[in-house]
């Protein structure tokens, strides 16, 4: 039997996903980046897709701890049509090098390809060598380098919400 | 009376939007980037938002030419919640410096702020000084420089769509 199982997240997983999301933010040197809450992630569950990796060797069936997660969304692109965005991808440090990330990634790729996406986009810190190596092995292309695309964000919090 | 009017795009605008999308791609030195078609954009109209600028001084009411467009989508972000992505933004060269772009942008910002988005993201070529200047005036922050985020894309066309 495999040590882990990849499956679609359910409502019961949201607290664990939130815990891992905060771990991921700390790992990415952005510990204050998470402004959502478990309640909000639960309420917004129809707005995103999520796959989780659960342990098959620890605990009973009601309390299998989660080892990692991949949260992704769909985005329409006027030039390319439907695309996917891999928003968050995480395997806890103690669970790495066991093929969990690769299995998670393959499950996500399969799911978004089945939904008609020809590409999946992700934002990666340029110092995150481990993540870059992982994505390059999945045939990822760095569009910042190749296409000279830079990411800009406009804050909208000062615009009156009428 | 104003020379132009900003309004939400309708199904009848899609051919003009497609024409401008191809002009934009050529302007961005990616003339082959557009793989969608007017039929696909019409069929997918529920997957994106679009504002257009129309001339109020030329032609009769049934044939007002479009001067520019802004195509945008919503994206869920696990850390920030709902966000907007400005996918395409274009004002035809002969119509620039008349405030059309600014009016279009304000209409988009208002619309996405009303939908609860705290940020709007856009990808900008690092050589596109005019666009960068425009976005900086809207308080945009370059996340590639500040957060060291690079954009990666994984092609999915070889994954079997079962």
């Amino acid at each position: 039997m495999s040590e882990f199982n990849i499956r679609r997240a359910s409502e019961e997983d949201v607290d664990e996903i939130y815990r891992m999301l905060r771990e991921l933010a700390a790992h990415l040197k952005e510990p204050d980046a998470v402004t959502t809450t478990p309640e909000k992630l639960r309420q917004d569950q129809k707005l995103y897709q999520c796959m989780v990796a659960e342990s098959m060797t620890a605990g009973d069936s009601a309390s299998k701890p989660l080892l990692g997660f991949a949260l992704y969304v769909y985005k329409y692109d006027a030039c390319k049509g439907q695309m996917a965005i891999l928003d968050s991808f995480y395997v806890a440090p103690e669970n790495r090098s066991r093929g969990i990330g690769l299995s998670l990634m393959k499950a996500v790729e399969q799911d978004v390809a089945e939904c008609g996406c020809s590409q999946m986009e992700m934002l990666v810190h340029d110092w995150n060598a481990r993540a870059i190596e992982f994505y390059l092995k999945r045939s990822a292309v760095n569009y910042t380098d190749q296409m000279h695309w830079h990411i800009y964000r406009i804050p909208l919090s000062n615009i009156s919400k009428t």
Side-chain angles (χ1 to χ4, degrees), chain A:
Chain A
M1 193 177 84
S2 175
E3 285 179 7
F4 60 87
N5 177 44
I6 308 293
R7 61 170 172 76
R8 215 170 275 277
S10 73
E11 198 179 329
E12 287 70 42
D13 297 315
V14 169
D15 287 333
E16 277 280 277
I17 292 167
Y18 181 74
R19 173 187 62 77
M20 292 188 286
L21 182 64
R22 288 182 57 96
E23 281 182 32
L24 173 61
H27 171 69
L28 295 177
K29 305 175 188 172
E30 298 175 27
D32 303 323
V34 184
T35 60
T36 47
T37 60
E39 292 66 38
K40 179 148 180 61
L41 287 178
R42 200 168 282 117
Q43 180 186 320
D44 292 343
Q45 215 164 5
K46 285 190 178 158
L47 301 177
Y48 59 87
Q49 311 292 320
C50 191
M51 294 275 180
V52 295
E54 69 184 348
S55 170
M56 299 304 280
T57 56
D60 61 27
S61 63
S63 63
K64 287 193 185 75
L66 295 186
L67 310 173
F69 77 106
L71 193 149
Y72 52 107
V73 297
Y74 295 105
K75 162 199 163 183
Y76 196 76
D77 181 290
C79 291
K80 304 292 173 212
Q82 190 79 313
M83 276 186 57
I85 297 179
L86 184 62
D87 178 83
S88 308
F89 188 80
Y90 182 68
V91 175
E94 65 273 21
N95 296 313
R96 291 184 191 161
S97 306
R98 289 166 49 191
I100 296 171
L102 184 61
S103 295
L104 255 180
M105 193 66 175
K106 284 183 175 175
V108 172
E109 288 174 357
Q110 185 71 40
D111 191 42
V112 299
E114 283 173 17
C115 287
C117 296
S118 59
Q119 295 182 91
M120 181 161 67
E121 183 176 291
M122 64 260 335
L123 304 183
V124 188
H125 290 86
D126 63 1
W127 50 259
N128 195 345
R130 186 175 173 124
I132 291 170
E133 185 190 18
F134 179 81
Y135 293 131
L136 290 179
K137 278 191 187 158
R138 304 307 298 159
S139 305
V141 174
N142 182 329
Y143 272 60
T144 303
D145 286 345
Q146 289 219 359
M147 306 295 279
H148 299 278
W149 283 351
H150 279 218
I151 306 157
Y152 284 77
R153 284 191 177 178
I154 294 178
L156 299 173
S157 42
N158 292 331
I159 293 178
S160 63
K161 296 173 184 66
T162 51

